Amino acid sequence: MPIPATWDFIREQPPESRPSPPTPKKWGHTYVSITGSAGEGEEIPLTGFEGRYWPSLFMQAGATGLDLPPMEVRSDTSPNLDGSMYRSTRAAAREIMLPLFLYGIDRYTLRRLKAQLVKALNPLNGPCVLKIQESGLPPRYLTCWYKGGLEGSEGEEHAGFRWMRYGVQLTALDPWYYGDTFHAAEWSFGKGSSFLKPTASLLPLSLSQGLISRKDFPVTNPGDVDAWPIWEVHGPVKSFKLTLGDRSFGITQGAKEAVPGGRTLTVDTRPGYKTIQDDQGKNYWPDLDKAPSLWPLPAGRSEMGIELVPGSANATLRMTINPRYETY
């Protein structure tokens, strides 16, 4: 048996005022260029028409590999459980493809453009630096090695008398973008003093102001991923220890000064470098405390611990990082 019901129709009332659509933000074109000889060669613009010859060399639509790098996720499987267990993740080398188009006003111009591009990308001359800059934002740089794509083809779809097309393949062994500027933080510490006052009376006791021991020094990494600091310790410093979480390194053992006066000890924590030496080339690795960990600085704000005992004069601790970014 049907159930009787009524249809209550409510007419929609128009709003008193129409909503205004958002205003698009003015944004210029993205600038892309490539520079050979490890960034020391001639910069070749890939967007826009700049230079003596017009048109010249430019990047077409279809570039790949310019955003987040590929990730390798490691896991373990269990014969008695479903699925897998997560272990770790690392960023793999970034593979890039740039569709480039060369067009000259004559055959001579085309040959000049081709020779310029080949010289910039030839890996025998070192890596090339890919520069990408959005409108109004700082540029980002990616160091790449040429893999292929410039072998050439004389097919009708790939080359003509005054033009040719390439699909250049590059690999960025370091998959992260870098910026123009380095970020640094510096701390200065006053000289130490005697534990006891040099007076006839034993009291009152006066603790030395030279001993620095704090676990909450604020540091900021403006990048998207962790960065590897370069530390500079300017002596005289009797001992020092730098800590982040449960990882630390320093020189706290031994009767002699960790860093003599007038010397500057540089601790380079970057992978591929990992050097600890002063401005005279002396190696300080044997002087480090046991089980040192040259830790990276995570993205964002962190708090690090500094334990430092200055010598008879002012001491300085300086940290420099080159932030790394996920995309341009």
Side-chain angles (χ1 to χ4, degrees), residues 111-189:
R111 289 176 55 85
R112 287 281 301 270
L113 292 173
K114 182 175 65 172
Q116 183 184 23
L117 181 63
V118 168
K119 182 179 179 180
L121 295 182
N122 190 345
L124 296 178
N125 299 327
C128 57
V129 176
L130 189 66
K131 174 183 177 181
I132 305 179
Q133 184 174 13
E134 292 279 12
S135 175
L137 297 179
R140 297 282 185 259
Y141 301 92
L142 199 62
T143 301
C144 306
W145 291 87
Y146 168 78
K147 291 185 64 177
L150 284 178
E151 294 82 5
S153 173
E154 296 300 326
E156 294 183 358
E157 297 182 355
H158 298 93
F161 187 72
R162 291 182 297 181
W163 65 273
M164 59 182 52
R165 182 183 290 116
Y166 296 114
V168 175
Q169 302 171 21
L170 307 174
T171 181
L173 304 180
D174 183 349
W176 306 112
Y177 285 91
Y178 290 84
D180 264 331
T181 58
F182 290 78
H183 292 259
E186 185 172 307
W187 299 270
S188 296
F189 306 100

Side-chain angles (χ1 to χ4, degrees), residues 5-28:
T6 61
W7 179 263
D8 296 329
F9 179 77
I10 301 176
R11 185 181 298 276
E12 182 178 359
Q13 298 294 330
E16 297 180 358
S17 60
R18 288 188 173 183
S20 58
T23 303
K25 185 175 181 179
K26 294 183 179 179
W27 201 266

Side-chain angles (χ1 to χ4, degrees), residues 29-71:
H29 294 286
T30 304
Y31 175 78
V32 183
S33 69
I34 196 165
T35 305
S37 302
E40 300 297 329
E42 180 182 359
E43 182 177 0
I44 304 175
L46 302 181
T47 56
F49 299 105
E50 299 179 4
R52 179 179 177 184
Y53 304 106
W54 184 93
S56 56
L57 190 158
F58 55 91
M59 184 174 68
Q60 294 182 298
T64 60
L66 297 178
D67 288 318
L68 188 68
M71 296 291 179

